[in-house]
Short mmCIF file of all heavy atoms in Angstrom, two decimals:
data_model
loop_
_atom_site.label_atom_id
_atom_site.label_comp_id
_atom_site.label_asym_id
_atom_site.label_seq_id
_atom_site.Cartn_x
_atom_site.Cartn_y
_atom_site.Cartn_z
N ARG Q 128 -6.43 12.90 8.07
CA ARG Q 128 -7.77 12.43 8.42
C ARG Q 128 -8.75 12.74 7.26
O ARG Q 128 -9.56 11.91 6.88
CB ARG Q 128 -8.23 13.13 9.70
CG ARG Q 128 -9.28 12.38 10.47
CD ARG Q 128 -9.67 13.18 11.68
NE ARG Q 128 -8.78 13.00 12.83
CZ ARG Q 128 -8.87 12.00 13.69
NH1 ARG Q 128 -9.79 11.08 13.54
NH2 ARG Q 128 -8.03 11.89 14.69
N PHE Q 131 -8.06 10.37 4.32
CA PHE Q 131 -8.58 9.01 4.50
C PHE Q 131 -10.11 8.99 4.57
O PHE Q 131 -10.72 7.98 4.24
CB PHE Q 131 -7.90 8.32 5.68
CG PHE Q 131 -6.51 7.88 5.30
CD1 PHE Q 131 -5.40 8.59 5.72
CD2 PHE Q 131 -6.32 6.81 4.44
CE1 PHE Q 131 -4.12 8.23 5.30
CE2 PHE Q 131 -5.04 6.43 4.01
CZ PHE Q 131 -3.95 7.15 4.46
N THR Q 132 -10.71 10.11 4.99
CA THR Q 132 -12.18 10.20 4.96
C THR Q 132 -12.64 10.14 3.51
O THR Q 132 -13.57 9.41 3.15
CB THR Q 132 -12.63 11.52 5.64
OG1 THR Q 132 -12.17 11.50 6.98
CG2 THR Q 132 -14.12 11.71 5.59
N ALA Q 135 -11.91 6.54 2.09
CA ALA Q 135 -12.84 5.51 2.57
C ALA Q 135 -14.19 5.65 1.89
O ALA Q 135 -14.79 4.66 1.46
CB ALA Q 135 -12.97 5.60 4.09
N VAL Q 156 0.48 6.85 12.83
CA VAL Q 156 -0.70 7.51 12.24
C VAL Q 156 -1.86 6.56 11.95
O VAL Q 156 -2.86 6.98 11.36
CB VAL Q 156 -0.32 8.28 10.94
CG1 VAL Q 156 0.64 9.42 11.22
CG2 VAL Q 156 0.24 7.36 9.88
N SER Q 157 -1.76 5.30 12.38
CA SER Q 157 -2.80 4.33 11.97
C SER Q 157 -4.20 4.77 12.43
O SER Q 157 -5.18 4.54 11.72
CB SER Q 157 -2.49 2.93 12.48
OG SER Q 157 -2.26 2.96 13.85
N HIS Q 158 -4.28 5.46 13.58
CA HIS Q 158 -5.61 5.90 14.06
C HIS Q 158 -6.26 6.89 13.08
O HIS Q 158 -7.49 6.94 12.98
CB HIS Q 158 -5.50 6.51 15.46
CG HIS Q 158 -4.58 7.69 15.54
ND1 HIS Q 158 -3.22 7.59 15.34
CD2 HIS Q 158 -4.83 9.01 15.74
CE1 HIS Q 158 -2.68 8.79 15.45
NE2 HIS Q 158 -3.62 9.67 15.69
N LEU Q 159 -5.43 7.64 12.35
CA LEU Q 159 -5.98 8.63 11.40
C LEU Q 159 -6.51 7.96 10.14
O LEU Q 159 -7.15 8.59 9.31
CB LEU Q 159 -4.89 9.65 11.01
CG LEU Q 159 -4.29 10.42 12.18
CD1 LEU Q 159 -3.09 11.23 11.74
CD2 LEU Q 159 -5.34 11.32 12.81
N VAL Q 160 -6.19 6.68 9.99
CA VAL Q 160 -6.69 5.89 8.86
C VAL Q 160 -7.92 5.10 9.31
O VAL Q 160 -8.94 5.07 8.62
CB VAL Q 160 -5.61 4.88 8.40
CG1 VAL Q 160 -6.09 4.10 7.20
CG2 VAL Q 160 -4.30 5.59 8.11
N TYR Q 161 -7.80 4.48 10.46
CA TYR Q 161 -8.83 3.53 10.88
C TYR Q 161 -10.16 4.22 11.20
O TYR Q 161 -11.22 3.73 10.81
CB TYR Q 161 -8.35 2.72 12.09
CG TYR Q 161 -7.13 1.85 11.82
CD1 TYR Q 161 -6.44 1.23 12.86
CD2 TYR Q 161 -6.68 1.62 10.52
CE1 TYR Q 161 -5.33 0.43 12.61
CE2 TYR Q 161 -5.57 0.82 10.28
CZ TYR Q 161 -4.90 0.23 11.33
OH TYR Q 161 -3.81 -0.57 11.09
N GLU Q 162 -10.09 5.33 11.92
CA GLU Q 162 -11.35 5.99 12.32
C GLU Q 162 -12.18 6.42 11.09
O GLU Q 162 -13.37 6.11 11.04
CB GLU Q 162 -11.06 7.21 13.21
CG GLU Q 162 -10.70 6.79 14.63
CD GLU Q 162 -10.07 7.92 15.44
OE1 GLU Q 162 -10.09 9.08 14.97
OE2 GLU Q 162 -9.54 7.61 16.51
N PRO Q 163 -11.58 7.07 10.09
CA PRO Q 163 -12.38 7.42 8.91
C PRO Q 163 -12.97 6.20 8.19
O PRO Q 163 -14.08 6.28 7.64
CB PRO Q 163 -11.38 8.15 8.01
CG PRO Q 163 -10.35 8.69 8.92
CD PRO Q 163 -10.25 7.70 10.05
N PHE Q 164 -12.25 5.07 8.17
CA PHE Q 164 -12.80 3.88 7.51
C PHE Q 164 -14.05 3.39 8.25
O PHE Q 164 -15.06 3.05 7.62
CB PHE Q 164 -11.74 2.77 7.40
CG PHE Q 164 -10.98 2.84 6.10
CD1 PHE Q 164 -9.97 3.78 5.92
CD2 PHE Q 164 -11.30 2.02 5.03
CE1 PHE Q 164 -9.29 3.88 4.70
CE2 PHE Q 164 -10.62 2.11 3.81
CZ PHE Q 164 -9.62 3.05 3.65
N VAL Q 165 -13.98 3.38 9.58
CA VAL Q 165 -15.14 2.94 10.35
C VAL Q 165 -16.29 3.94 10.17
O VAL Q 165 -17.44 3.55 9.96
CB VAL Q 165 -14.75 2.75 11.84
CG1 VAL Q 165 -15.97 2.47 12.70
CG2 VAL Q 165 -13.72 1.60 11.97
N ALA Q 166 -15.95 5.24 10.19
CA ALA Q 166 -16.99 6.27 10.03
C ALA Q 166 -17.66 6.17 8.65
O ALA Q 166 -18.85 6.49 8.51
CB ALA Q 166 -16.38 7.66 10.23
N ALA Q 167 -16.93 5.70 7.65
CA ALA Q 167 -17.51 5.60 6.29
C ALA Q 167 -18.42 4.38 6.15
O ALA Q 167 -19.08 4.22 5.12
CB ALA Q 167 -16.40 5.53 5.26
N GLY Q 168 -18.43 3.49 7.18
CA GLY Q 168 -19.33 2.34 7.12
C GLY Q 168 -18.61 1.00 6.97
O GLY Q 168 -19.25 -0.04 6.86
N PHE Q 169 -17.27 1.02 6.97
CA PHE Q 169 -16.53 -0.25 6.91
C PHE Q 169 -16.52 -0.91 8.29
O PHE Q 169 -16.56 -0.22 9.31
CB PHE Q 169 -15.07 0.00 6.51
CG PHE Q 169 -14.86 0.22 5.04
CD1 PHE Q 169 -14.74 1.50 4.51
CD2 PHE Q 169 -14.79 -0.86 4.17
CE1 PHE Q 169 -14.54 1.70 3.15
CE2 PHE Q 169 -14.59 -0.67 2.81
CZ PHE Q 169 -14.47 0.61 2.30
N LYS Q 171 -14.17 -2.96 10.88
CA LYS Q 171 -12.75 -3.28 11.09
C LYS Q 171 -12.68 -4.78 11.35
O LYS Q 171 -13.33 -5.30 12.25
CB LYS Q 171 -12.17 -2.49 12.25
CG LYS Q 171 -10.68 -2.74 12.40
CD LYS Q 171 -9.95 -1.63 13.15
CE LYS Q 171 -8.46 -1.80 12.96
NZ LYS Q 171 -7.76 -2.41 14.09
N PHE Q 212 -10.22 -4.01 6.61
CA PHE Q 212 -11.61 -3.56 6.70
C PHE Q 212 -12.47 -4.34 5.70
O PHE Q 212 -11.95 -4.85 4.71
CB PHE Q 212 -11.70 -2.06 6.39
CG PHE Q 212 -10.98 -1.24 7.42
CD1 PHE Q 212 -9.62 -0.93 7.25
CD2 PHE Q 212 -11.62 -0.82 8.56
CE1 PHE Q 212 -8.94 -0.22 8.22
CE2 PHE Q 212 -10.93 -0.10 9.54
CZ PHE Q 212 -9.59 0.20 9.36
#
Side-chain angles (χ1 to χ4, degrees):
R128 204 182 276 277
F131 283 103
T132 299
V156 296
S157 53
H158 59 294
L159 302 171
V160 182
Y161 297 169
E162 283 165 11
F164 268 78
V165 172
F169 281 99
K171 184 158 194 259
F212 296 90

